[in-house]
Amino acid sequence: MKIAVMGAGAVGCFYGGMLARGGHDVTLIGRPAHVEAIAKRGGLRFESAIFDGVIPISADTKPSAVAGADVVLFCVKSADTEEAGNEIAPHLKSDAAVISLQNGVDNAERLSAVLGRTVIPAVVYVAAGMAGPGHIAHHGRGDLIIGPSPRSDDIARAFAEAAIPTVVSGEVLARLWDKLIINCVYNALSAIAQLPYGRLFEVEGTKDVMDSVIIECIAVASELGIAVAPDIREKAFALVKVMPDQYSSTAQDLARGRPSEIDFLNGHVVRKGAEFGVPTPSNLALQVAVKLRELEHAGQAHR
């Protein structure tokens, strides 16, 4: 299968690397530094308990590199969805399956509007980060839930054969909300403190803040008719036991001086809450705190 990965960050490099290792023809589309490092090294440096070494893989900086792909994994930041969608639109095969592997709950819908075709939503469960240009460090998990489509069963089968456990589910939107809630709980706090999940609980009151975030998220989801997992609170607090040393993607963005996706995480809950008259003060406080940190980093960059 020919696969293009639009947005070769941590998520894109992990799944692209696994699929290339599984025998698929994969092209990563990303920043020049990553592409140059991959070309110089002769592949993607893949650091994981699954495999530790270099995986031969193609890499390109141009969105036109999606041309001819049977499957496109769309892995750009949420704020870049429309722009990146417009960039790849002229180059997509008519029957290419596009899968959104992004944070947030509405990217597939937004991308579908840009491309004028169905986009398959996916819930991504992976802990990974870029350890350097063209160097992915995988810390845990790697399974996917994807939405139903005429191609989904075949894609899930191919991914499973490449050691990516993949389930097709009609409840993908509800599961996206489950993940959104967990992101709302951890991402901002990890980013503001620049601490891994395990250390957040060293401060008294952290759990109370997290509880407030969860309650607000559930109230907003309910107004939208989304049935989140009944044990979502337990799942949220269990994450710290599985990933005590993991920094959130928002924390990684701030550490690198890049804009975060906070407006599409806690910010999404705040916007939807305002639409339905549901108060979301805890989510708003975390959104504002992260944006203040972004402002601080922007000011430092211009000094």
Side-chain angles (χ1 to χ4, degrees):
M1 187 183 295
K2 188 172 182 180
I3 298 167
V5 179
M6 182 62 184
V11 169
C13 282
F14 173 75
Y15 289 105
M18 290 292 290
L19 289 163
R21 187 166 176 261
H24 296 281
D25 178 4
V26 179
T27 299
L28 301 175
I29 303 167
R31 293 187 175 92
H34 290 305
V35 173
E36 290 166 12
I38 290 168
K40 186 175 181 180
R41 193 181 289 120
L44 175 69
R45 174 77 173 87
F46 198 97
E47 184 181 350
S48 172
I50 299 169
F51 171 79
D52 195 341
V54 175
I55 300 173
I57 197 167
S58 298
D60 205 316
T61 60
K62 300 184 294 296
S64 59
V66 301
D70 303 302
V71 175
V72 176
L73 304 184
F74 196 80
C75 307
V76 306
K77 294 290 187 181
S78 295
D80 299 327
T81 293
E82 282 82 5
E83 181 181 356
N86 280 315
E87 288 175 341
I88 67 170
H91 309 289
L92 290 171
K93 277 199 339 180
S94 60
D95 61 346
V98 181
I99 310 176
S100 168
L101 274 65
Q102 299 169 274
N103 274 331
V105 294
D106 64 348
N107 279 295
E109 180 182 356
R110 290 164 53 209
L111 182 57
S112 179
V114 170
L115 298 181
R117 67 169 75 198
T118 298
V119 173
I120 303 170
V123 192
V124 179
Y125 300 106
V126 67
M130 297 306 296
H135 180 178
I136 175 72
H138 172 235
H139 307 298
R141 294 191 69 172
D143 44 312
L144 295 171
I145 299 174
I146 66 174
S149 78
R151 299 276 302 281
S152 291
D153 288 338
D154 288 340
I155 290 170
R157 208 161 21 245
F159 282 21
E161 289 170 358
I164 301 170
T166 305
V167 173
V168 180
S169 173
E171 296 183 351
V172 66
L173 182 57
R175 302 294 75 80
L176 277 168
W177 264 88
D178 291 347
K179 187 184 175 188
L180 175 71
I181 292 172
I182 292 173
N183 282 339
C184 287
V185 167
Y186 285 97
N187 277 43
L189 290 171
S190 174
I192 295 160
Q194 283 297 301
L195 289 172
Y197 299 158
R199 295 208 54 200
L200 299 178
F201 292 86
E202 293 178 18
V203 174
E204 186 176 354
T206 294
K207 200 168 185 178
D208 294 328
V209 172
M210 291 179 166
D211 260 329
S212 295
V213 169
I214 293 169
I215 290 168
E216 292 173 10
C217 289
I218 292 173
V220 172
S222 178
E223 290 290 341
L224 289 166
I226 305 293
V228 303
D231 60 346
I232 187 61
R233 183 179 182 276
E234 290 75 12
K235 285 181 176 176
F237 288 121
L239 183 68
V240 71
K241 299 174 184 176
V242 181
M243 301 179 180
D245 300 319
Q246 178 70 21
Y247 287 77
S248 71
S249 59
T250 307
Q252 294 176 50
D253 286 335
L254 286 189
R256 295 186 176 101
R258 293 176 185 160
S260 77
E261 295 182 291
I262 200 67
D263 288 340
F264 300 90
L265 301 175
N266 302 82
H268 183 80
V269 175
V270 171
R271 286 192 302 278
K272 290 300 178 182
E275 286 181 22
F276 292 103
V278 176
T280 55
S282 295
N283 280 279
L284 177 60
L286 293 180
Q287 179 192 17
V288 169
V290 169
K291 292 181 80 67
L292 287 171
R293 289 298 307 273
E294 289 178 350
L295 188 62
E296 174 195 8
H297 286 300
Q300 290 172 350
H302 288 96
R303 285 176 189 169

